Amino acid sequence: MNKIDELRQEIENIFDNVDNMKKLNELKVEYLGKKGKITELNSVIKTLPNDEKKSFGMKVNEVKVLFNSKYEEKRNIFEEEEVNKRLESEKIDVTLPSTKIKRGSKHPMSLTIERIEDLFVSMGYDVVSGPELESDEYCFERLNLPKGHPARDMQDSFYITNDYLLRTQTSSMQARYMVESGGNKPIRIIVPGKTYRREDDATHAPQFSQIEGLVIDKKENNISLADLKGTLEIFVKEMLGDNLKLRFRPSYFPFTEPSYEVDVTCFKCHGKGCNLCSQTGWIEVFAAGMVHPNVLRMNGYDPDVWGGFAFGPGWDRITMFRYGIPDIRLMYQNDVRFLEQFDRKDVD
Ligand code: DAH
């Protein structure tokens, strides 16, 4: 019995020096393990006379309960300390600046066409697209360029079969749209799209992009060269800057008559002459003209009743001018260092 009381005394104090979980567990083994001090008391029970067994057993149990409650008490303290430590080390400071998420940016060609589309839609145009794999018929013949026509040479082409090629110009949609419109409706469209030719240098890529414009209306509505000029002037103002002059140079295209190449005052030197404009003060931006009667006729519009104009700026060229991009190939290489310079939403 004395031994039990000693043990009880011991248990009362022994936990005071325990300052971590490891020591606590060692203590458990020391007292309640297979050969633990409390466990061993159980084997004493057998040796006692019957009338003492019960009260001894109860005392052993009491000591065990005491040990366990002390043990639990300590364990709770350690666990709480552990949780507090973790909370402290994993604390999130919501006021810290966040890690920067890099957002993509729009391609300069997309930025350009969005602006152009908005402009033309505001003037009542529809934006349409057509096939890049085009027939010889629509790419050339219906635009007054029969087989063997010398003007075809300027558009050395990627033929897929004798009759099909990668379109060399979005002008092919002039013919398609006229045919689709059935020869009896006015037309006002722009056609942005990819085009292909066998060319490759700093200002020409084998795949490039054009924006075709076509306006057809009844002759009685007097669509004239003045309307074409006005339209291109608005275009230039919106896309390249105010106070730029336009210069119409007579040119030749089989599907327009008269035809023009349209230059704009150099937006870098404002006409003085610089490297961008090869010292001429002018930069060629559009090809344009009044739709040729043959083209109207071939595509279902009576040239005695209908007339109009067409124009075709290079989409890449306009983009290069707008952003001062020196090499067309940059726009097709998908180099992020180049692309992220535009539409910089990721900059704080
Ligand atoms: N499609 C012509 C080319 O790529 C450019 C052109 C000329 C377009 C006259 C037109 C136009 O709409 O009227 O060379």
Side-chain angles (χ1 to χ4, degrees):
M1 282 293 180
N2 274 346
K3 210 166 171 206
I4 293 183
D5 287 335
E6 265 170 40
L7 209 54
R8 187 202 305 276
Q9 274 307 317
E10 204 176 300
I11 290 168
E12 287 287 357
N13 300 320
I14 197 133
F15 283 91
D16 293 350
N17 299 326
V18 174
D19 56 7
N20 63 42
M21 200 65 198
K22 190 164 172 258
K23 281 190 191 159
L24 187 65
N25 284 331
E26 281 166 9
L27 214 57
K28 190 166 189 177
V29 174
E30 191 183 332
Y31 284 82
L32 290 174
K34 258 190 193 158
K35 292 191 174 158
K37 290 182 182 173
I38 299 176
T39 320
E40 276 184 345
L41 288 179
N42 284 327
S43 53
V44 176
I45 297 180
K46 281 180 261 161
T47 65
L48 294 174
N50 276 350
D51 58 341
E52 284 178 30
K53 273 185 183 159
K54 191 177 172 194
S55 64
F56 189 86
M58 277 168 66
K59 287 221 162 187
V60 173
N61 204 40
E62 272 170 29
V63 172
K64 202 171 168 179
V65 169
L66 176 69
F67 182 93
N68 278 335
S69 81
K70 290 261 176 196
Y71 173 88
E72 285 300 324
E73 197 181 308
K74 269 279 171 187
R75 201 178 70 166
N76 284 343
I77 291 172
F78 292 151
E79 274 179 0
E80 202 177 306
E81 275 174 8
E82 180 65 28
V83 169
N84 284 341
K85 234 195 271 172
R86 286 217 353 232
L87 281 179
E88 190 59 32
S89 67
E90 292 171 10
K91 190 161 72 175
I92 297 170
D93 182 350
V94 291
T95 65
L96 283 174
S98 61
T99 27
K100 205 152 107 182
I101 298 169
K102 207 164 172 115
R103 266 191 269 178
S105 53
K106 283 187 184 163
H107 194 285
M109 298 262 302
S110 305
L111 293 169
T112 302
I113 198 62
E114 279 174 9
R115 189 92 177 258
I116 293 175
E117 286 180 1
D118 281 352
L119 173 68
F120 279 93
V121 166
S122 78
M123 295 195 287
Y125 285 65
D126 285 330
V127 180
V128 300
S129 60
E132 287 171 33
L133 180 60
E134 185 54 281
S135 64
D136 187 276
E137 177 188 353
Y138 278 92
C139 198
F140 296 129
E141 282 183 43
R142 283 177 176 273
L143 294 175
N144 212 20
L145 278 139
K147 287 204 167 67
H149 194 292
R152 284 189 178 209
D153 291 351
M154 290 193 299
Q155 305 190 4
D156 208 352
S157 321
F158 297 109
Y159 273 87
I160 309 298
T161 67
N162 280 343
D163 299 322
Y164 279 89
L165 71 158
L166 294 177
R167 71 176 172 196
T168 58
Q169 50 184 356
T170 44
S171 306
S172 52
M173 267 308 278
Q174 287 193 23
R176 281 196 177 273
Y177 206 80
M178 278 190 234
V179 170
E180 261 171 45
S181 302
N184 54 17
K185 282 196 283 286
I187 294 174
R188 236 184 286 178
I189 54 167
I190 56 164
V191 190
K194 292 195 186 102
T195 45
Y196 304 83
R197 291 185 201 177
R198 231 180 60 190
E199 307 170 319
D200 199 6
D201 61 40
T203 52
H204 299 88
Q207 179 227 290
F208 59 109
S209 304
Q210 293 184 331
I211 305 156
E212 193 75 15
L214 177 68
V215 173
I216 304 279
D217 210 331
K218 286 232 165 100
K219 282 221 153 131
E220 66 207 34
N221 289 329
N222 288 327
I223 303 282
S224 71
L225 191 56
D227 297 304
L228 171 61
K229 276 189 161 174
T231 306
L232 298 190
E233 254 168 35
I234 290 171
F235 184 110
V236 165
K237 267 211 179 105
E238 180 73 17
M239 298 309 295
L240 301 174
D242 285 334
N243 306 324
L244 296 171
K245 285 206 187 78
L246 268 62
R247 177 173 81 171
F248 280 62
R249 264 186 298 118
S251 183
Y252 172 75
F253 297 100
F255 36 93
T256 41
E257 178 59 35
S259 301
Y260 301 92
E261 268 159 310
V262 184
D263 302 333
V264 176
T265 337
C266 178
F267 15 87
K268 193 170 166 197
C269 65
H270 295 277
K272 289 193 202 87
C274 69
N275 58 347
L276 183 64
C277 59
S278 311
Q279 311 303 328
T280 62
W282 295 96
I283 289 187
E284 187 195 320
V285 174
F286 304 94
M290 304 308 290
V291 180
H292 197 292
N294 285 355
V295 174
L296 288 166
R297 194 178 301 112
M298 269 190 280
N299 297 298
Y301 277 78
D302 180 350
D304 291 329
V305 182
W306 301 87
F309 60 81
F311 54 92
W315 177 358
D316 322 74
R317 270 171 80 72
I318 298 277
T319 307
M320 289 164 77
F321 294 148
R322 253 169 85 77
Y323 295 105
I325 298 166
D327 191 324
I328 190 171
R329 290 168 291 202
L330 286 167
M331 294 201 289
Y332 295 105
Q333 284 164 351
N334 271 346
D335 185 333
V336 175
R337 288 166 305 176
F338 168 74
L339 295 173
E340 70 185 3
Q341 297 173 54
F342 308 91
D343 190 27
R344 299 198 59 182
K345 292 210 184 77
D346 61 324
V347 175
D348 293 326

